[in-house]
Amino acid sequence: MLILNHIGYTYFNYFDGDVGHVRKLLEINFLSYVAMTVSALPLLKESEGSIVVVSSMAGKTGAPFSAPYSATKFALDGFFSSLRHEFIIDKVNVSITLCILGYIDTENAVRAVSHAIRATPAPKEECALEIIKSGALRQRELHYPSSTVGTMLLLQAIAPDFLDSLTRSGYKVENIRRT
Ligand SMILES: NC(=O)C1=CN([C@@H]2O[C@H](COP(=O)(O)OP(=O)(O)OC[C@H]3O[C@@H](n4cnc5c(N)ncnc54)[C@H](OP(=O)(O)O)[C@@H]3O)[C@@H](O)[C@H]2O)C=CC1
Ligand SMILES: C[C@H](CCC(=O)NCC(=O)O)[C@H]1CC[C@H]2[C@@H]3C(=O)C[C@@H]4C[C@H](O)CC[C@]4(C)[C@H]3CC[C@]12C
């Protein structure tokens, strides 16, 4: 099983216009996932294995203060959803699981956003287990925590403007200091 999980450092703030940062983040969060998949594919085909791509709610719906990060996660969905089709057409028995995660209590995330986000983060240990399970079960997508992510995806489909305003109301915008 190939689990793609790493992310590069980004800021949590208004987009600052730095195109170089977006390019660098795409390299770490997106292109390296493509490169690692290419390297591992011969072995994965031989073992009929699984690719697990760790993404985010911010890779399915827009969220403020994470424009570069969000772009890299949307790119993962586009690339790996297309690849999944090709595997099925080609009868390649390698599964692709896209993990759509809400706010998780890892040290870096809590440090970056706890001053500005009202939600309580979900536990990282349970999250890690769900990620591994979803790959082993060859699920198409993991939604974790399922109630929050499931509700948000449903709202995106039926009431996208309402979801946007709900998302914004979850932020303490006054605590975001423009840099
Ligand atoms: N925590 C959250 O709220 C959420 C997380 N996610 C996703 O979950 C995954 C894990 O997130 P989380 O654990 O919070 O992230 P962290 O920032 O805690 O960890 C990121 C990891 O990536 C590694 N890394 C950074 N740059 C590179 C690089 N250039 N090459 C290789 N490795 C690198 C870091 O290594 P080192 O420590 O050595 O620098 C670190 O181990 C990510 O894909 C993230 O997008 C999705 C939604 C919410
Ligand atoms: C808060 C976002 C989701 C919207 C919401 O209100 N959810 C309620 C809930 O989840 O209970 C967060 C969803 C994903 C988060 C971001 C993420 O994907 C990890 C980044 C990691 C980095 O270390 C900094 C923080 C993140 C940008 C993080 C910020 C909060 C989310 C957008």
Side-chain angles (χ1 to χ4, degrees):
M1 186 186 301
L2 174 69
I3 301 185
L4 298 164
N5 175 73
H6 61 275
I7 44 168
Y9 174 78
T10 189
Y11 55 85
F12 186 72
N13 212 312
Y14 293 90
F15 177 53
D16 64 4
D18 183 352
V19 179
H21 174 70
V22 180
R23 192 172 286 125
K24 185 175 164 205
L25 210 61
L26 277 165
E27 188 70 53
I28 299 170
N29 294 8
F30 171 59
L31 288 172
S32 76
Y33 281 37
V34 176
M36 290 176 82
T37 298
V38 170
S39 300
L41 205 49
L43 261 180
L44 285 168
K45 282 183 177 171
E46 206 180 291
S47 59
E48 304 199 324
S50 306
I51 302 171
V52 178
V53 179
V54 181
S55 187
S56 162
M57 258 320 292
K60 282 283 187 190
T61 71
F65 313 125
S66 43
Y69 171 83
S70 184
T72 67
K73 294 299 192 182
F74 268 79
L76 290 173
D77 196 348
F79 181 84
F80 284 97
S81 298
S82 177
L83 200 62
R84 188 190 292 110
H85 275 295
E86 294 178 17
F87 284 178
I88 292 167
I89 292 167
D90 249 0
K91 298 189 171 40
V92 170
N93 195 11
V94 174
S95 62
I96 296 179
T97 301
L98 188 68
C99 301
I100 310 302
L101 309 182
Y103 182 24
I104 311 297
D105 68 357
T106 63
E107 229 175 274
N108 282 346
V110 170
R111 191 183 321 115
V113 303
S114 60
H115 61 294
I117 289 189
R118 298 183 205 282
T120 304
K124 54 186 177 299
E125 297 79 7
E126 185 180 62
C127 179
L129 193 59
E130 290 301 315
I131 290 172
I132 293 166
K133 266 167 59 184
S134 68
L137 294 172
R138 305 173 87 83
Q139 276 172 228
R140 175 192 179 88
E141 284 193 355
L142 166 69
H143 297 163
Y144 181 87
S146 63
S147 53
T148 312
V149 173
T151 305
M152 290 177 79
L153 293 177
L154 180 66
L155 285 177
Q156 182 184 34
I158 60 174
D161 287 330
F162 177 62
L163 173 64
D164 280 0
S165 73
L166 199 66
T167 299
R168 284 191 298 276
S169 71
Y171 286 70
K172 298 177 203 163
V173 177
E174 66 281 10
N175 288 353
I176 303 287
R177 290 172 172 241
R178 284 178 195 270
T179 45

